[in-house]
Amino acid sequence: MNRTGSTKERILGAAETLFAQRGFDGASLRQLTSAAGVNLAAVNYHFGSKEKLVEQVFRRRLDALNAQRLAALAKVAGQPGTRLEDVLDAFIRPALELSHEDGGSLFMRVLARAFAEHDDGLRKFLSENYGHVMRQFTAEFGRLLPRLSKEELYWRIDLVTGALTHAMSGFGIIQRKSDVSERAHREQTAQHLIRFAAAGLNAT
Amino acid sequence: MNRTGSTKERILGAAETLFAQRGFDGASLRQLTSAAGVNLAAVNYHFGSKEKLVEQVFRRRLDALNAQRLAALAKVAGQPGTRLEDVLDAFIRPALELSHEDGGSLFMRVLARAFAEHDDGLRKFLSENYGHVMRQFTAEFGRLLPRLSKEELYWRIDLVTGALTHAMSGFGIIQRKSDVSERAHREQTAQHLIRFAAAGLNAT
DNA sequence: CGTATGCTCAAACGATCGTTTGAATCCCTC
DNA sequence: GAGGGATTCAAACGATCGTTTGAGCATACG
């Protein structure tokens, strides 16, 4: 039972863990509040409903994640010397760094679940709040791959998305021993992902 | 409400659809039996429990799918002129053909869900019953990519798996108008997937 | 000190869950 | 057409779900 932080933060932390492990339906508010060490009614008091809690779990991480992604993209987008690998780095690295924050790796798993669930409400929420991020990256990929038709470009970005989501949802669960090897591990992972994605996007 | 076929088949069909749409937890036996046009108790009578029903939903499709995959692999594995694309074709084409069977495209979505759920029981079931298929494909990929280390090979196969699962779970939902354009669409899709995956596996 | 205000608490709400029961019905065999 | 195993049925089981309630507690301000 977690006893650090405010009630809201404890609920969000426990929700992230349990949603990752058992899914949005599978994790009950009783398991959740029990793990957070708060009263059952606290969820509805602080968040209004379970569905709103799910949205806040996403918001807490995605606001920061996508701000970092857009900031990293802005540094390379439109520049003359920019390579495909630089844009992919702007997309991937913030997510990998998040995976090594406290609970961050579990959040990537929650995100992977949200992709697999074809729930309309959740997709609409994610699209409305964070769709512009994917749109900006798509535009830059298109600029760097002018020989691809629009259809082909969308296909490949979708495939890259699937590969990265799948890979990152399983990444970072096993904790490294020291901070040095953790950074090395993250760097190695980033290289694996970027090399694969760049080659796939660049396929003849 | 479906009224064709035996009770068992109607349950399996409705289960596939509802599991794809609402997940294993989200789809209740009452919704399921109501959609199948059978009595609520029929699930426990014919399958024993909801969990056993889930396993049978997988078994019904995966037995045929993986047999086709292994048969296609056997035709090219170890041959002198075999290319990466041939092995990927053996893996992808049977799944795409399944997607155009009745309800098949929904099954790919169920499979994508099973990947996202990190449920231990389900993973154990899939690994025990169908792990040998991935092992054979991995061996052949390793043969065709001798310059990759074991670690790199596993990374890339994992990324390919994620990309294909993600892409195929959204494929085939929209029905094509005539059989000719459906076959053309499938062929085009196969080419997209194979080109991307081959380039990714082959990355420097 | 009195009283708002924000929060926590145990308890209960009705709804829905997977499963079980025992009787009714179907269908094949003798 | 009588007997019997296979199947279907309505009904109920206890458990658990998300949510609501109203009393109780804390802290801060006049």
Side-chain angles (χ1 to χ4, degrees):
Chain A
M1 183 183 351
N2 184 11
R3 290 223 168 272
T4 66
S6 71
T7 297
K8 269 181 124 169
E9 282 166 359
R10 290 211 302 241
I11 291 173
L12 285 169
E16 189 169 64
T17 303
L18 284 169
F19 287 161
Q21 290 172 347
R22 316 188 194 210
F24 305 113
D25 284 329
S28 75
L29 291 185
R30 282 170 179 81
Q31 298 169 343
L32 202 155
T33 51
S34 173
V38 305
N39 187 271
L40 168 61
V43 171
N44 285 278
Y45 178 79
H46 286 284
F47 297 94
S49 67
K50 188 182 184 181
E51 194 181 347
K52 296 249 187 76
L53 168 62
V54 172
E55 292 187 1
Q56 288 304 314
V57 168
F58 282 101
R59 230 185 251 292
R60 180 171 70 138
R61 302 281 189 188
L62 284 183
D63 284 340
L65 173 63
N66 283 325
Q68 285 183 260
R69 281 177 160 169
L70 289 180
L73 177 63
K75 286 185 188 168
V76 296
Q79 303 290 332
T82 294
R83 298 169 310 136
L84 208 50
E85 283 83 353
D86 300 323
V87 181
L88 285 166
D89 192 87
F91 190 79
I92 290 170
R93 196 168 299 268
L96 284 181
E97 281 166 9
L98 172 61
S99 288
H100 281 289
E101 284 176 24
D102 183 50
S105 65
L106 287 169
F107 175 72
M108 293 310 295
R109 212 175 260 204
V110 176
L111 203 55
R113 258 184 204 278
F115 269 93
E117 317 245 0
H118 287 230
D119 179 89
D120 285 338
L122 198 52
R123 287 176 96 84
K124 192 181 165 198
F125 168 80
L126 292 174
S127 165
E128 280 175 0
N129 289 280
Y130 306 102
H132 65 289
V133 178
M134 274 315 292
R135 248 170 275 133
Q136 286 203 36
F137 274 93
T138 300
E140 188 59 22
F141 282 131
R143 223 166 279 135
L144 292 172
L145 296 163
R147 60 184 179 74
L148 293 187
S149 68
K150 252 194 182 183
E151 192 206 349
E152 272 181 310
L153 180 66
Y154 289 155
W155 256 111
R156 300 206 183 172
I157 289 176
D158 195 44
L159 287 162
V160 167
T161 304
L164 298 183
T165 305
H166 176 79
M168 294 201 297
S169 80
F171 175 71
I173 306 293
I174 301 139
Q175 291 299 326
R176 317 297 300 184
K177 283 159 197 167
S178 72
D179 187 71
V180 239
S181 75
E182 173 183 315
R183 298 235 317 239
H185 180 228
R186 192 194 321 168
E187 192 58 36
Q188 206 178 4
T189 302
Q191 291 308 319
H192 277 130
L193 300 183
I194 291 171
R195 262 204 301 269
F196 176 89
L201 287 173
N202 231 337
T204 53
Chain B
M1 175 174 16
N2 184 12
R3 292 223 166 274
T4 65
S6 69
T7 297
K8 271 181 123 168
E9 284 166 358
R10 289 211 303 243
I11 291 173
L12 285 169
E16 191 169 63
T17 302
L18 284 169
F19 287 160
Q21 290 173 348
R22 317 187 193 212
F24 305 115
D25 285 330
S28 75
L29 293 185
R30 283 172 178 80
Q31 298 169 342
L32 202 156
T33 51
S34 173
V38 304
N39 187 271
L40 168 63
V43 170
N44 285 279
Y45 178 79
H46 285 285
F47 297 95
S49 68
K50 188 182 183 181
E51 193 181 346
K52 297 253 187 75
L53 168 61
V54 171
E55 292 187 2
Q56 289 302 315
V57 167
F58 281 101
R59 230 187 250 291
R60 181 171 70 139
R61 303 280 190 190
L62 283 183
D63 284 342
L65 172 64
N66 283 324
Q68 286 181 261
R69 281 176 160 171
L70 288 179
L73 177 63
K75 285 184 187 167
V76 297
Q79 303 289 335
T82 294
R83 297 169 310 135
L84 208 50
E85 284 83 353
D86 299 323
V87 181
L88 285 166
D89 192 270
F91 189 78
I92 290 171
R93 195 167 299 269
L96 283 182
E97 281 166 8
L98 172 60
S99 288
H100 281 288
E101 285 176 24
D102 183 51
S105 65
L106 287 170
F107 175 72
M108 293 309 294
R109 212 176 259 205
V110 176
L111 204 55
R113 261 185 200 277
F115 268 94
E117 317 245 359
H118 287 229
D119 179 272
D120 284 340
L122 198 53
R123 287 177 96 83
K124 192 182 165 196
F125 169 80
L126 291 174
S127 164
E128 281 176 358
N129 290 281
Y130 307 103
H132 65 289
V133 178
M134 274 316 291
R135 247 170 276 133
Q136 287 204 36
F137 274 92
T138 299
E140 188 60 21
F141 282 131
R143 223 166 278 133
L144 292 171
L145 298 163
R147 62 185 176 76
L148 293 186
S149 69
K150 251 195 181 179
E151 193 206 348
E152 272 181 310
L153 179 67
Y154 290 155
W155 256 111
R156 300 207 181 170
I157 289 176
D158 196 43
L159 287 163
V160 166
T161 305
L164 298 183
T165 305
H166 175 79
M168 294 200 297
S169 80
F171 175 71
I173 306 294
I174 303 135
Q175 292 297 326
R176 315 299 298 184
K177 282 160 197 167
S178 72
D179 188 70
V180 240
S181 75
E182 174 183 316
R183 297 234 318 237
H185 180 228
R186 192 194 319 169
E187 192 59 37
Q188 206 178 5
T189 302
Q191 291 307 319
H192 276 130
L193 300 183
I194 290 170
R195 261 204 300 269
F196 176 89
L201 287 173
N202 233 335
T204 52

